[in-house]
Amino acid sequence: MAARNRPRAGPMKDDSADAHEERNMWNQIVNDLKRLKTIQTRAIEVSKAIVEMEAKMAEPPSLVQIDDLQDLYREGLKLAEEEQKILNDEPNDVIKNVGILTALRTASEIEPRNNSQSKSRNPKRQKLDTDGT
C-alpha cells in the first residue's frame, strides 16, 4: 500500500501566535525586572551615600556639601521615578503585564478541562441508557 501524505495536526496559527505573544510578554517582564534590579542596587548605593554624607557634615554645612547632598537626593529621586515608570507606565507596566499573563495562563489551563468534559458527555447516549432500563 502506498502511504498518503497528510498534513500533520500542528498548532493552529492563532495558538502559535498566542504562544509567541505570551513568550514575548514574559521576556519583556524578565528584562524589565532585570533593569529594576540594577536600578534598585544603585538606589541602595545612593541612599547609603546620603546617610554617610549627612553624618559627616560639619556644622554649619558648606555650600559644597549641600550641593553634593542635593545631587544625591536628585539622583535618588530620578531612580525612584524610573522604577515607578517601569512598574506602572506603558509600554512596560510590569504589574499590568504580569496580571495579563496570569489571566492568559489561567484561561488556557481551564479551557482544555472544559472541552474534555463537554466531549465526554453525549446526551443521546445518556437518553438511550436511561430509556432501556
Side-chain angles (χ1 to χ4, degrees), residues 13-27:
K13 288 183 181 179
D14 292 338
D15 293 340
S16 178
D18 289 343
H20 288 299
E21 184 177 344
E22 288 178 21
R23 188 177 311 120
N24 291 341
M25 187 177 286
W26 175 251
N27 289 336

Side-chain angles (χ1 to χ4, degrees), residues 36 38-51 67-85:
L36 281 172
T38 304
I39 292 169
Q40 183 64 28
T41 302
R42 179 63 187 146
I44 290 170
E45 292 170 0
V46 168
S47 65
K48 286 180 181 178
I50 289 172
V51 170
D67 287 341
D68 290 343
L69 188 60
Q70 186 176 14
D71 290 342
L72 287 173
Y73 275 118
R74 284 187 178 149
E75 185 178 358
L77 179 62
K78 180 183 165 193
L79 292 168
E81 288 172 346
E82 194 171 341
E83 284 179 335
Q84 189 71 20
K85 183 179 174 184

